[in-house]
Structure formats: C-alpha cells, structure tokens
Amino acid sequence: MGRMAKITTVQGHIQKNISEASGTFGWLMSGITLATKMIEAKIRSAGLSDVYGAFGAENVQGEQQQKLDVYANQAIINCLENRDTVAALVSEEDEQPVMFDRSLDTGKYIIVFDPLDGSSNIDVNVNVGTIFSVHKRLTWGSLEESVLQTGTRQVAAGYVLYGPSTMLVYTIGNGVHCFTLDPTIGAFVLCQENMKMPGKGPYYSTNEANVATWPAGYEQYIASMRADGYSARYIGSLVADFHRTLLKGGVFLYPPNKTKSGGKLRLLYEANPLAFIAEQAGGMASNGTGRILEIKPSEIHQRTPFIVGSRHEMEAFQKAMGAA
Ligand code: FDP
C-alpha cells in the first residue's frame, strides 16, 4: 500500500506558525472557521431551504438585510461569544460592538467582521465572502479605544470566499496562506503557502458606471490602463474581486463618487483586512491619498475609498493622483 498523502489543516498551520500562546489564538481561529463552515453549508443549500431574499429588516447602514446575512452574522457571534479569549465582536450588521466583561489576561482579542460581503450577489448565485480582522486589546484605555485601532496593528486578517470551491486566506503577519475546504472531511486544507501577488497584472476592476462622478485623476488613470491594453473584470463582490486581484494581479478600485463622497467600502472590516493581506503578499493598498493601514478610525462603520493591487499598478496610480 502506498503512503497516505499528508495534509495541513488551517488549525495545524496556525499551531506551527504562531509562537505566542498558539493554543489561545488557535481556539479563536477555530471559532471563525467553524462559523464559516456553517455559512458555507447554508449557502450551498440556499436554493433548497428558502434563505434567499430579504429578511424584512434594514441593517444599521439602512440596507435591506438578507436572510443569509442574518444567519451568517448569528453564526459568527454564536461561535465566538463563548470563547473567553474574545474581548469584543464588531460586525457590519450590528450598530454597536458586542463587548464582554473579561479580564485583560483572558479577553485579549477583538474580532471585526463582515459576515457576508457582496449581499447584492446572494440572490443570483454569485460568489460572496466573509471577511475578518483581529486586533489585540490594548492594555490601557477603554475597550472602545481598543476597537478603533489603526490597521497596522492588526494581528491577523483573512477571508473566506464561497465560490465554486470554498477558500480561506489568512495572514498573521508572516505571509499569506490559502486553504480549500475539503467537503469530504469538513476541513480547510492548505493549498498555497506564502502567496505572492504578481508584480503586475492584466486587469483593472471597478464599477465604471460611476466614472463621471469620480474625483480628478481616477478617470485618466483607468483610461491610460485601457490604452495600455488592460482588460476589465468586476464581480461586485469585494472578496471575489480581491481574490482574483491577489492571484492574477492588477488593481481593484472603489473611489469616492457623487453619492458616496467618502467611498463605499468600510475601513475596519473590508479595507483594513484586505490591505493587510495585500501588503503581506507584496501588493499595496491606498485610500487615494495614503496607506489604508495608517488611517486612524474614528468610528466602527466608517467608509473609505479603497484602491488595492499589484505594485506596478499601484505605483502608476499614485503617480496619476499626484499629477491630478
Ligand atoms: P454589496 O453592496 O453587494 O454588499 O461592501 C459591499 C459591496 O457589495 C462589496 O462587496 C462590493 O465590492 C461593492 O459593495 C459593490 O458596490 P457597487 O454595487 O456600488 O459596485
């Protein structure tokens, strides 16, 4: 009989990669992976179990909550709230953070997440994702202050993409690693370690319907990419658009526009985690004037313009904005 192939699960990978209190952090991550497996199962059976469509309520952003959004949010909260390493949970779907009265020694982590990103794509069977960002609670100040740390202080970030296969991508600051959910054993199995974003790519990705109301610089930048032979790709699900950019290179842009003068995407649970991953993979992320990871947040649901991608396209972007 031949030798059985070895597999590395995300749990095993974290144990191997993290020196400090790997047990504590691993326990936290297992809550996240369990929740995303529950969400993935729900999505896979969505057409069968009547979870498509609106829930009937609006979320704190004034958007219609989808039934799957509600389920995803609940799944993450349920899987994390009883882990005593969690000090606070901040969700796109909830106006206020959920804070736990735990000592500094045990309740060390703050998890910020977008339970189901790309909600306009849920009903039409197009890829959606879950995004998360982890901060360490500060040993000083209030828990509220700990929740509003800059992106440079993230200790981990990741996302799960529910596509033709389900993939988890994470970083703890020592590279970016990718896992595929093996449905036969219910585990995320390592498929790529130390992913690197290509230095230059073939695509730009943006909602070009807004071009007329973008600030100066953006339109010229995209026009020069068209002239240079770039192709366009836009799914409208941030995780999916980002994942393609990570693998193939190029640039993703969500600039400010007339109706969204501060941009659309959220700093804490969309831009920051993806910027952390992009930088760890050799790419860059900007809000149009500076580095995403250095923005000091003032509130948990704040929005930001978000431009992320390969080094070549990002340097060209900075030049175009400097010249505008
Ligand atoms: P959605 O509105 O479908 O929830 O932040 C939400 C998001 O999707 C991102 O996933 C996506 O990148 C973006 O908004 C799409 O916005 P536009 O429809 O304005 O292009």
Side-chain angles (χ1 to χ4, degrees):
M1 198 171 91
R3 248 189 206 197
M4 189 188 265
K6 276 194 191 155
I7 59 162
T8 304
T9 66
V10 65
Q11 218 56 43
H13 198 259
I14 288 168
Q15 292 302 119
K16 199 179 76 186
N17 258 285
I18 209 166
S19 50
E20 185 231 332
S22 54
T24 328
F25 188 76
W27 177 229
L28 171 78
M29 281 295 287
S30 75
I32 296 177
T33 53
L34 174 60
T36 59
K37 282 187 246 179
M38 290 166 65
I39 298 167
E40 113 91 27
K42 199 68 160 182
I43 290 172
R44 298 275 172 241
S45 63
L48 304 168
S49 58
D50 192 30
V51 286
Y52 281 142
F55 184 65
E58 285 193 346
N59 70 7
V60 291
Q61 330 287 355
E63 298 159 344
Q64 271 271 314
Q65 275 188 309
Q66 305 289 314
K67 288 194 222 172
L68 269 170
D69 293 21
V70 178
Y71 178 87
N73 192 39
Q74 211 47 64
I76 296 182
I77 293 172
N78 287 352
C79 291
L80 289 175
E81 66 187 349
N82 292 327
R83 309 207 172 203
D84 56 8
T85 51
V86 177
L89 294 173
V90 181
S91 167
E92 195 224 6
E93 297 292 334
D94 298 317
E95 190 163 1
Q96 298 297 335
V98 184
M99 306 214 195
F100 303 98
D101 187 16
R102 290 177 179 139
S103 80
L104 276 172
D105 293 340
T106 49
K108 283 200 228 167
Y109 294 105
I110 290 150
I111 297 100
V112 185
F113 57 95
D114 185 349
L116 206 58
D117 189 75
S119 43
S120 65
N121 277 324
I122 296 173
D123 279 2
V124 291
N125 198 16
V126 170
N127 302 0
V128 287
T130 297
I131 314 176
F132 62 91
S133 157
V134 183
H135 280 275
K136 244 193 182 153
R137 183 179 181 179
L138 302 169
T139 50
W140 44 268
S142 63
L143 190 46
E144 284 82 357
E145 284 171 84
S146 285
V147 165
L148 294 174
Q149 298 182 61
T150 54
T152 47
R153 299 183 63 94
Q154 290 172 100
V155 294
Y159 61 81
V160 173
L161 172 63
Y162 311 101
S165 62
T166 298
M167 287 188 159
L168 179 143
V169 172
Y170 91 95
T171 184
I172 50 172
N174 66 348
V176 178
H177 315 294
C178 184
F179 299 78
T180 303
L181 182 67
D182 180 340
T184 61
I185 57 172
F188 283 105
V189 177
L190 182 66
C191 55
Q192 207 182 337
E193 212 168 21
N194 283 316
M195 301 171 84
K196 289 290 169 216
M197 195 184 281
K200 182 178 185 313
Y203 304 124
Y204 69 82
S205 179
T206 191
N207 188 339
E208 256 177 301
N210 298 321
V211 66
T213 66
W214 285 342
Y218 285 95
E219 189 175 356
Q220 293 81 340
Y221 173 61
I222 293 294
S224 73
M225 297 186 89
R226 274 198 300 267
D228 284 348
Y230 279 84
S231 190
R233 291 284 187 279
Y234 189 68
I235 298 165
S237 263
L238 179 62
V239 176
D241 281 314
F242 178 82
H243 190 68
R244 182 196 55 252
T245 307
L246 177 64
L247 266 65
K248 304 280 182 195
V251 63
F252 169 89
L253 306 93
Y254 207 109
N257 61 49
K258 193 169 79 193
T259 54
K260 298 175 184 81
S261 58
K264 177 182 184 188
L265 303 175
R266 318 291 164 161
L267 175 63
L268 262 63
Y269 40 80
E270 294 185 313
N272 266 346
L274 300 184
F276 186 20
I277 293 169
E279 287 196 4
Q280 283 289 315
M284 295 165 72
S286 161
N287 68 348
T289 54
R291 189 177 167 214
I292 285 287
L293 294 181
E294 287 173 11
I295 300 171
K296 174 78 186 106
S298 51
E299 59 116 356
I300 58 174
H301 296 296
Q302 94 186 51
R303 296 172 194 265
T304 179
F306 186 47
I307 302 89
V308 63
S310 298
R311 191 153 284 273
H312 176 84
E313 284 79 2
M314 291 303 290
E315 283 170 359
F317 171 72
Q318 284 172 333
K319 245 193 191 163
M321 296 312 278

